[in-house]
Amino acid sequence: MSGPALSRIPKSWVLLACIGLLALNLRGPIVSVAPLVDLMQAELHFSPVMLGLLTSIPVLCFSLAAPLASLAARKFGAEFAVTLTIVGVLAGVLLRSAGGPALVVAGTVVIGVAITVGNIAVPLIIRRDFAPRRQGTAMGIYTAALNIGSFLTSVAMAPLAAVTGWRLALAAVAVLAVAAVVVWVLAVGPRTAFLVSAEDGADAPRAPVSRSGWITVGLTAGFGGQAFSYYGVTAWLPSYLHDELGMNAAQAGAASSIFQILAIVGGLGVPFAAKYMSTTAVAVTLSALWLAVPVGLLFLPQLWWLWSTSGGIAQGGGITLIFIAVIKLARDQAAAGRMSATVQGLGYCLAAVAPPLLGFVHDSSGSWTPALLVILGSVLAFFVGTTLSVRKVPKGR
């Protein structure tokens, strides 16, 4: 972070601003489609399956492109990887809004691949450029900004499309990418931002953690359970509330937004809690909050607001805790990149399966109970995998 334009501002503040702006672009372009599916279907004549793929394709990219993204971040340099992410998101957003069905799908793929690079690069930058005692806070800000981007985009799309049409509404997401590009180039300088750089070797290797292979397996299981639960609840909570409690679409959508926005509390709360609690205790607490979602909806659905609040805090805190574990337990930057690619690659593979699988289970049984039991199983996977894996993460200082 050596850009001359912002040299008078403390380096950590500039970096946090860059990470926050980048994170606003890493989920918003994906969720922006959901409020506009009816308008898009009317013009493009997409099948329901294809409309679902517009949300699933980026998640599949998170899985399939994770090894390539890890390689790019390590070989091209983290700064150039961030530039690839922002420019890729910008190009994909504009491409998706520019033409017919083929360009919509192509733009969606570009967005997914670009975001995958950012998913890998940001934890590596946080690990390299922040002191260990600040890494948890930086990661919390990053995951909180992911959810802020999702929430703001999903809220703004429908009203904006009513005025401008769905194409300009989707293209408007590019404003965040342009802002991120400008701040990033000012922060690191044009040469660093746009030229490939070799690995700088600034990362001092840490003592290896015993049984690191099993830790990676556990974190992968935990992340997979977290991602499956998150995307499953996100996809089907409005339908559940409509079927079980008679909510209309607007009420169900507003109710499910609680699940999204409360992730900010979890993302920022985990680093704070980790200063006073062991990481094992944090993992158990988050697991209990997650378990309240399927159990609560099964037995006391009328308290949906409480379970949405509990699950929102848990999902924001869960991903933060797993990312903190990755950057603190990896021996060096290369190991952190490989571990992150494994955890995210396999975890997002499970996430992509969640919406169609839960829909199939519900349609086959004619009840939401079996689907909630599947989510209960994925939450238990998060509980076991995460709790067993984070025990060696040092308490925050």
Side-chain angles (χ1 to χ4, degrees):
M1 304 294 297
S2 57
L6 301 178
S7 58
R8 295 184 178 181
I9 303 175
K11 174 183 173 181
S12 60
W13 294 10
V14 175
L15 184 52
L16 279 175
C18 290
I19 289 172
L21 272 174
L22 175 62
L24 293 178
N25 289 275
L26 296 188
R27 294 298 181 269
I30 301 173
V31 303
S32 62
V33 172
L36 307 180
V37 290
D38 291 339
L39 296 174
M40 297 176 69
Q41 187 174 30
E43 181 175 336
L44 301 175
H45 307 293
F46 275 155
S47 68
V49 172
M50 182 55 69
L51 287 171
L53 282 175
L54 294 182
T55 300
S56 297
I57 284 173
V59 182
L60 285 172
C61 289
F62 294 172
S63 172
L64 300 177
L68 182 62
S70 176
L71 181 65
R74 287 186 284 116
K75 297 301 182 183
F76 298 158
E79 284 79 9
F80 186 75
V82 169
T83 304
L84 282 179
T85 298
I86 307 171
V87 173
V89 168
L90 177 60
V93 165
L94 296 178
L95 184 64
R96 186 176 61 180
S97 307
L103 289 182
V104 170
V105 174
T108 302
V109 172
V110 172
I111 290 169
V113 174
I115 291 175
T116 305
V117 176
N119 288 343
I120 301 295
V122 172
L124 294 179
I125 289 177
I126 290 174
R127 186 182 189 277
R128 185 194 66 187
D129 291 345
F130 283 92
R133 64 190 180 91
R134 301 292 187 191
Q135 289 171 352
T137 300
M139 190 60 71
I141 290 173
Y142 166 65
T143 55
L146 289 177
N147 288 281
I148 291 172
S150 297
F151 178 76
L152 293 178
T153 303
S154 62
V155 167
M157 281 299 101
L160 189 58
V163 176
T164 66
W166 69 266
R167 292 183 185 277
L168 286 179
L170 282 182
V173 179
V175 172
L176 292 174
V178 171
V181 168
V182 171
V183 174
W184 182 245
V185 172
L186 288 175
V188 303
R191 183 178 181 85
T192 302
F194 292 106
L195 294 180
V196 173
S197 62
E199 295 174 302
D200 57 18
D203 178 51
R206 302 172 185 174
V209 177
S210 62
R211 306 181 70 180
S212 59
W214 284 110
I215 289 175
T216 301
V217 171
L219 290 176
T220 301
F223 189 86
Q226 154 89 15
F228 184 100
S229 303
Y230 169 76
Y231 282 97
V233 172
T234 297
W236 293 112
L237 182 58
S239 297
Y240 170 87
L241 294 174
H242 170 75
D243 294 346
E244 298 295 320
L245 300 178
M247 290 186 180
N248 60 36
Q251 291 172 327
S256 63
S257 68
I258 296 174
F259 177 73
Q260 301 295 336
I261 196 62
L262 264 294
I264 298 171
V265 176
L268 296 177
V270 161
F272 178 79
K275 294 180 180 179
Y276 305 99
M277 303 166 60
S278 69
T279 50
T280 302
V282 174
V284 171
T285 302
L286 292 172
S287 299
L289 291 172
W290 246 131
L291 285 168
V293 177
V295 174
L297 292 176
L298 278 170
F299 295 104
L300 291 170
Q302 64 271 23
L303 295 180
W304 58 266
W305 55 270
L306 180 59
W307 317 134
S308 292
T309 299
S310 174
I313 295 171
Q315 58 100 348
I319 190 172
T320 303
L321 180 63
I322 291 172
F323 282 158
I324 288 174
V326 169
I327 64 176
K328 287 187 175 291
L329 295 178
R331 175 179 172 81
D332 52 32
Q333 285 291 86
R338 290 191 296 269
M339 183 183 290
S340 183
T342 300
V343 169
Q344 294 192 56
L346 295 177
Y348 280 122
C349 184
L350 290 174
V353 173
L357 176 60
L358 293 175
F360 173 78
V361 170
H362 170 259
D363 291 342
S364 300
S365 64
S367 168
W368 283 107
T369 297
L372 289 172
L373 290 175
V374 174
I375 293 176
L376 177 60
S378 66
V379 172
L380 288 173
F382 166 77
F383 174 35
V384 175
T386 305
T387 303
L388 293 178
S389 300
V390 302
R391 292 176 297 171
K392 294 183 180 295
V393 177
K395 183 186 292 186
R397 290 290 188 270

